[in-house]
Amino acid sequence: MHPHHTVTCSFSAPEPACSEKNRIYSSEILLRFNIAALSPFIFHSFSPPSPAKQVLLALSGLPPPSLHLGIASAIAPPSATLLHRASLQATINSKKMARKFFVGGNWKCNGTVESVSKLVDTLNAGEIVSTDIVEVVVAPTFIHIPLVKDRLRSEIQVSAQNCWVKKGGAYTGEVSAEQLVDLGIPYVILGHSERRHILKESHDFVGQKCAYALSKGLKVIACIGETLDEREAGNTIKVCAEQLIAIKEAIGENWSDVVVAYEPVWAIGTGKVATPEQAEEVHAELRKWLAENVSAEVAEATRILYGGSVTAGNCKELAKKPNVDGFLVGGAALKPEFIDIINSAQIKVAA
Ligand code: PGA
């Protein structure tokens, strides 16, 4: 399987000759490349006349510098279809492709040393798509974290399910952000509905936790979502926005290490998944909220996951939706089908 890379091309001026679709992105066109080899490549799918002005390439994840130069010189000539050395496919995509698909497995308060070890074996043996197209994390209980971290394949990162709101000390039963960082844990889930509803964590408390975890270098999977009553009362967006406001008040513009997980409470652990249309509608509204209340850049870059009864059976249809950037998975993350859910990332590549 070939690695996938995201390449951003910026043009110095809008190109009137571009097609309608491309004109939208004339100042910043995102191309997704599937680099097959260093053999001669064909630069195609760039069907409108290429803007011949200065082409600035911001390349991410393309290791050989010679290839960068090859691509730059392939794009610079003003012809529509360009040929160069190395086999390369490019498709013009909207900027949304910059958001790498993300799949999180929330193991909640489940597992024994034996069952967790078996689950790790299953994940290690599974065939999963390249980390170039999907970021995967699993969140075991605190006590199982060291075991999982030691044995799990390196493509899957380990997350905690919670952490304390400030520096550690005399807080019986808590685990601090510093302790997670010390253990080499990159992510923490915060604001999960089970903590909001069962343990009565308030919006502000979750916001403060997010801010503290980020300040210590953790990345945060921040969960939000409405109850069934709130949805039926037509308050879904209002409730989610209140949860986001509390996070924004605590973290400000600092969203680069935040992944938002939209998890309708009525869908969590119930087998009652949101329809792809329901998920897309809320995700699009959440992105709009980010654009209006934080910034257009943050709205564009922030991954919004869907969570709530995601399975191998329903993940593909959900993944097709443009604003669904991945999943936070509970029950199905404890089963081999989690591999299929990870691999639903391919839908985005094919789209
Ligand atoms: P579920 O849980 O997939 O079992 O519904 C999701 C979650 O709580 O994150």
Side-chain angles (χ1 to χ4, degrees):
M1 136 140 233
H2 306 301
H4 295 269
H5 298 287
T6 299
V7 179
T8 305
C9 303
S10 300
F11 298 91
S12 60
E15 176 54 65
C18 283
S19 70
E20 198 52 49
K21 179 181 173 204
N22 298 324
R23 194 176 304 145
I24 299 168
Y25 302 111
S26 59
S27 63
E28 208 176 356
I29 295 178
L30 226 105
L31 306 173
R32 190 182 59 229
F33 291 91
N34 179 354
I35 296 181
L38 291 176
S39 55
F41 69 78
I42 300 170
F43 188 85
H44 66 90
S45 300
F46 197 73
S47 43
S50 167
K53 316 275 163 49
Q54 299 159 0
V55 177
L56 304 171
L57 279 180
L59 303 171
S60 66
L62 290 176
S66 57
L67 202 58
H68 298 197
L69 294 174
I71 292 167
S73 63
I75 294 174
S79 64
T81 303
L82 303 157
L83 303 176
H84 208 281
R85 297 164 301 144
S87 166
L88 182 103
Q89 291 179 328
T91 46
I92 296 179
N93 289 291
S94 71
K95 288 166 74 174
K96 69 180 182 288
M97 294 314 299
R99 297 190 298 268
K100 189 189 281 190
F101 205 73
F102 186 105
V103 178
N106 176 8
W107 294 358
K108 308 194 181 184
C109 186
N110 287 297
T112 58
V113 169
E114 192 188 346
S115 71
V116 164
S117 302
K118 271 193 195 147
L119 184 51
V120 168
D121 289 345
T122 303
L123 295 177
N124 286 346
E127 217 172 283
I128 56 176
V129 293
S130 162
T131 51
D132 287 332
I133 63 164
V134 68
E135 182 171 8
V136 187
V137 309
V138 292
T141 65
F142 284 127
I143 58 167
H144 294 126
I145 283 180
L147 180 161
V148 174
K149 190 169 172 294
D150 284 352
R151 298 204 205 156
L152 190 61
R153 67 202 292 174
S154 60
E155 301 102 304
I156 304 182
Q157 305 170 85
V158 178
S159 170
Q161 298 174 18
N162 181 36
C163 68
W164 180 231
V165 67
K166 52 185 167 184
K167 189 167 158 41
Y171 305 105
T172 304
E174 292 294 337
V175 169
S176 70
E178 289 89 343
Q179 288 169 325
L180 295 176
V181 171
D182 181 49
L183 206 63
I185 301 303
Y187 272 99
V188 62
I189 298 172
L190 294 173
H192 191 278
S193 79
E194 285 146 16
R195 298 202 63 89
R196 289 180 187 269
H197 293 279
I198 304 169
L199 292 150
K200 308 289 177 219
E201 291 192 2
S202 69
H203 298 346
D204 288 348
F205 190 62
V206 171
Q208 286 160 28
K209 280 187 169 192
C210 291
Y212 192 75
L214 290 170
S215 78
K216 294 296 143 194
L218 287 171
K219 297 178 195 172
V220 168
I221 302 166
C223 305
I224 59 171
E226 83 289 2
T227 63
L228 187 57
D229 283 352
E230 289 162 344
R231 172 165 280 261
E232 286 174 349
N235 289 333
T236 297
I237 302 304
K238 180 172 165 279
V239 169
C240 291
E242 282 164 5
Q243 294 167 340
L244 286 177
I245 287 166
I247 294 171
K248 201 234 150 171
E249 278 175 1
I251 73 169
E253 316 289 303
N254 178 22
W255 290 72
S256 56
D257 286 333
V258 177
V259 177
V260 173
Y262 166 60
E263 300 203 297
V265 180
W266 48 270
I268 295 178
T270 58
K272 219 176 142 194
V273 65
T275 64
E277 292 68 33
Q278 283 173 322
E280 174 61 19
E281 188 187 357
V282 178
H283 284 220
E285 285 294 330
L286 297 177
R287 203 172 301 290
K288 193 166 141 224
W289 187 93
L290 287 171
E292 289 169 356
N293 295 278
V294 188
S295 71
E297 290 72 29
V298 164
E300 196 56 53
T302 302
R303 286 162 304 175
I304 305 178
L305 317 180
Y306 168 77
S309 297
V310 174
T311 62
N314 59 34
C315 62
K316 290 204 182 108
E317 287 307 308
L318 285 158
K320 281 182 192 160
K321 292 296 177 189
N323 283 293
V324 174
D325 305 315
F327 303 113
L328 187 56
V329 186
L334 299 167
K335 302 179 190 163
E337 70 181 282
F338 188 61
I339 301 277
D340 299 320
I341 299 173
I342 295 171
N343 290 338
S344 68
Q346 275 167 318
I347 300 265
K348 295 288 191 205
V349 178

